[in-house]
Amino acid sequence: MAQNPNMTHLELGEVVALPPLWIRCDGSDPEHTYWLGAEPLKAGNKITGINLYMVTCDADKTCFANLEELKMEHKINHHSSVVTTKGFAQYELIRAAAIEDTTVESESSICVDITWNTVDKILETPPLISAATLNIGLESGDPRSPVYQLYRELQFLLGLAEGLKTGVTEWPELLESEPAFELVQEFLTDKLFQKIRCDTEAVDSSMKSIFSERGDLDFAEQLWCKMKSVCSYQELVMCFTLILKSLERGEIQPWIHHGSSSLLSKLIQQSYHGKIEAVALTGITPIQMLLEIGLDKMKKDYVSYFIGQELATLTYLDYFISTSVDLQEQVHRVQKLHHMLEIMVSCTVLLQFKHENLFPLTQICMKYYRENPLDEKHVFQLPIRSALVNKFYQDDHPKVWKVDISSGHGPKEVKTTWQVTTNPLVEHMTSNNTGLLSDSTVAGSSEESMYFITVVKCSQVQFT
């Protein structure tokens, strides 16, 4: 009444559009109503009517609705002769299960949202020509990931960076068969000076075809592969003392990649001319030296993947590997590179994506991460053809299935929505609802799934 300009006897003066009004209900009525809503309709600044909504949710039905009956009910309620239907379905393609021996469950998942026009029956499978959007939310660190060893390497790098910030470094436990000092010692005293084969500790055999090991590791990068197992500050100092002495004596003249900016690389370059500056291996200096060579190595690992797979150019990657920012920011950007790598590898392995799909996904991820901080809970969206992933969901139940039945045009359009979900859309539903149980599994779960049916009905009051 307060919105109706025809209520002149109320002496309301100028009618100002109110915000939408929604009333939360307890669902105790026969229809199980959980929300009632009212939203003003406007044409410019003029209020032309009110849309009234009723939201019901039920988990006690024994069968699903009939689409023809829903369409007929809509026609009768809204005095319309023609209705249109639009479908929506969401399928969960990948869901990360809880990792054994941990209390944290990963929130990683890959879902696909599919929309199509003209629905023929309730719960129909979307046509293969339907428009689809892939929703990718992946967190790093799953031990089953093909790049898990690289993730562990990154975690050691992050530990060093944190140590520089706080002054306290947490060293990993000895996991290798030999201590880092002995590995470095053997590396430096190799009497035959054979070309040291690429250290492949950071490359799991299951991912070699996807994330190829680099065969061009320079001296500093090979040292990182040995020293990433260092277990104490004292051992770190011992390793660098051994390295610097070998350089000072001219016992080694190792090659390094052009453009490396680490302190160790500068000392190696100086050694070519027979003299290197004195470096006090005290305070944070050894930690910073190790962090620098680790950053250099890991940046090249990621660049090698993205360029090797023709997913990005060096120019486009420049932001992520820039040395013009401080070390902490460089580490932050390397984390972004790793998260993008996890996404690409997962889509390659699990969804069998080819370059034509990975390339646009890479561009979406890189654009986001050039403008935003690291956020592993962010959901990246990629428009695709539903036929690309239909084999992953064609035998599954949808997580969400919805049909919109509508009539009228523009501001006079009214809609009835019927939706079935595996989770209640109404958060204040009472816990004693028993729900509908499916007769098969959903997304690989061995448990029966509960379904909830939500119906949104709209009616319209016109003031003009």
Side-chain angles (χ1 to χ4, degrees):
M1 289 175 68
Q3 298 289 273
N4 192 342
N6 299 316
M7 299 285 108
T8 53
H9 63 284
L10 296 179
E11 300 179 358
L12 296 172
E14 185 180 355
V15 176
V16 178
L18 293 172
L21 172 66
W22 284 88
I23 301 168
R24 196 166 90 157
C25 311
D26 64 7
S28 61
D29 61 309
E31 294 291 321
H32 302 296
T33 304
Y34 284 94
W35 286 102
L36 292 171
E39 298 186 356
L41 288 167
K42 291 192 293 182
N45 293 325
K46 186 179 180 183
I47 301 168
T48 60
I50 294 279
N51 264 349
L52 300 171
Y53 300 94
M54 182 170 74
V55 181
T56 62
C57 190
D58 199 344
D60 295 323
K61 293 182 184 286
T62 55
C63 61
F64 292 140
N66 178 283
L67 181 58
E68 291 305 316
E69 290 176 1
L70 289 174
K71 288 162 67 174
M72 184 56 65
E73 183 183 353
H74 180 95
K75 288 179 179 179
I76 293 170
N77 290 342
H78 300 288
H79 310 290
S80 54
S81 56
V82 178
V83 297
T84 59
T85 54
K86 186 171 184 178
F88 170 90
Q90 182 183 84
Y91 293 89
E92 200 162 47
L93 306 182
I94 308 294
R95 177 67 184 176
I99 308 302
E100 290 183 12
D101 303 324
T102 66
T103 56
V104 179
E105 182 173 346
S106 171
E107 294 184 12
S108 297
S109 70
I110 301 178
C111 296
V112 62
D113 292 349
I114 306 171
T115 57
W116 69 101
N117 294 318
T118 311
V119 180
D120 294 323
K121 63 178 181 178
I122 293 293
L123 288 180
E124 73 178 13
T125 302
L128 292 180
I129 59 171
S130 305
T133 301
L134 206 61
N135 301 297
I136 305 166
L138 288 175
E139 295 181 11
S140 304
D142 188 332
R144 297 162 297 192
S145 167
V147 289
Y148 181 65
Q149 293 304 317
L150 197 66
Y151 170 80
R152 286 182 55 197
E153 193 172 334
L154 177 62
Q155 293 310 295
F156 179 62
L157 192 81
L158 295 177
L160 296 174
E162 189 65 20
L164 283 187
K165 276 199 302 186
T166 64
V168 179
T169 304
E170 291 188 17
W171 301 98
E173 295 179 14
L174 178 62
L175 297 175
E176 310 298 333
S177 55
E178 286 185 88
F181 178 75
E182 292 181 14
L183 291 172
V184 171
Q185 198 171 35
E186 291 171 9
F187 177 59
L188 294 174
T189 56
D190 185 348
K191 294 178 182 179
L192 297 177
F193 289 97
Q194 295 173 338
K195 182 182 178 183
I196 308 298
R197 70 173 177 80
C198 172
D199 189 296
T200 58
E201 283 181 280
V203 186
D204 186 82
S205 59
S206 64
M207 57 172 281
K208 284 182 179 177
S209 61
I210 303 165
F211 188 84
S212 301
E213 59 197 69
R214 288 196 293 123
D216 64 342
L217 295 187
D218 68 9
F219 175 78
E221 292 173 315
Q222 291 179 64
L223 273 178
W224 164 261
C225 291
K226 309 294 181 185
M227 294 175 67
K228 68 186 182 185
S229 60
V230 70
C231 292
S232 68
Y233 180 81
Q234 290 73 21
E235 187 180 25
L236 176 62
V237 173
M238 288 168 61
C239 288
F240 275 126
T241 300
L242 197 63
I243 295 162
L244 295 184
K245 282 183 179 178
S246 296
L247 288 172
E248 287 169 354
R249 294 169 184 160
E251 295 171 354
I252 54 173
Q253 279 200 324
W255 72 274
I256 53 171
H257 288 299
H258 176 71
S260 178
S261 60
S262 69
L263 175 56
L264 181 62
S265 295
K266 291 175 183 175
L267 295 175
I268 291 171
Q269 287 175 324
Q270 291 172 6
S271 75
Y272 298 159
H273 306 290
K275 188 176 181 179
I276 66 172
E277 67 180 85
V279 175
L281 295 174
T282 58
I284 64 170
T285 301
I287 297 174
Q288 183 162 326
M289 288 176 67
L290 186 58
L291 176 62
E292 287 174 349
I293 63 175
L295 266 174
D296 273 356
K297 189 262 182 187
M298 296 200 75
K299 284 178 183 177
K300 288 185 176 69
D301 286 343
Y302 296 119
V303 167
S304 176
Y305 169 79
F306 284 107
I307 290 182
Q309 298 293 320
E310 299 182 349
L311 298 176
T313 62
L314 192 58
T315 302
Y316 208 71
L317 286 163
D318 183 63
Y319 164 84
F320 297 99
I321 60 175
S322 172
T323 56
S324 62
V325 293
D326 64 40
L327 279 177
Q328 298 295 339
E329 178 59 24
Q330 289 182 51
V331 171
H332 186 70
R333 295 183 185 185
V334 165
Q335 283 183 275
K336 294 178 178 182
L337 283 171
H338 184 84
H339 188 215
M340 292 188 288
L341 173 68
E342 292 263 13
I343 290 171
M344 301 310 142
V345 169
S346 293
C347 287
T348 302
V349 173
L350 303 175
L351 300 181
Q352 297 156 25
F353 271 19
K354 305 299 183 187
H355 179 267
E356 63 186 33
N357 311 114
L358 293 173
F359 181 78
L361 179 58
T362 302
Q363 303 309 302
I364 289 169
C365 293
M366 287 192 172
K367 182 179 187 304
Y368 176 82
Y369 270 144
R370 287 169 71 95
E371 301 167 357
N372 297 281
L374 178 73
D375 179 9
E376 295 204 347
K377 295 188 184 300
H378 179 75
V379 176
F380 293 96
Q381 295 189 311
L382 176 70
I384 59 169
R385 294 172 291 105
S386 61
L388 182 66
V389 294
N390 79 297
K391 63 182 176 183
F392 298 105
Y393 66 75
Q394 60 187 2
D395 296 325
D396 279 335
H397 292 285
K399 186 178 179 183
V400 178
W401 193 96
K402 178 175 73 172
V403 59
D404 288 327
I405 303 167
S406 54
S407 59
H409 299 283
K412 294 192 175 182
E413 182 186 41
V414 284
K415 188 187 300 181
T416 299
T417 299
W418 187 95
Q419 182 163 319
V420 59
T421 55
T422 53
N423 294 309
L425 294 183
V426 180
E427 61 182 22
H428 59 283
M429 276 191 75
T430 54
S431 58
N432 60 2
N433 284 296
T434 57
L436 288 167
L437 299 178
S438 69
D439 57 4
S440 61
T441 60
V442 176
S445 170
S446 60
E447 297 179 2
E448 289 184 317
S449 296
M450 182 180 292
Y451 282 107
F452 298 87
I453 296 170
T454 304
V455 180
V456 181
K457 295 180 180 179
C458 169
S459 60
Q460 200 171 84
V461 179
Q462 294 287 340
F463 296 152
T464 54

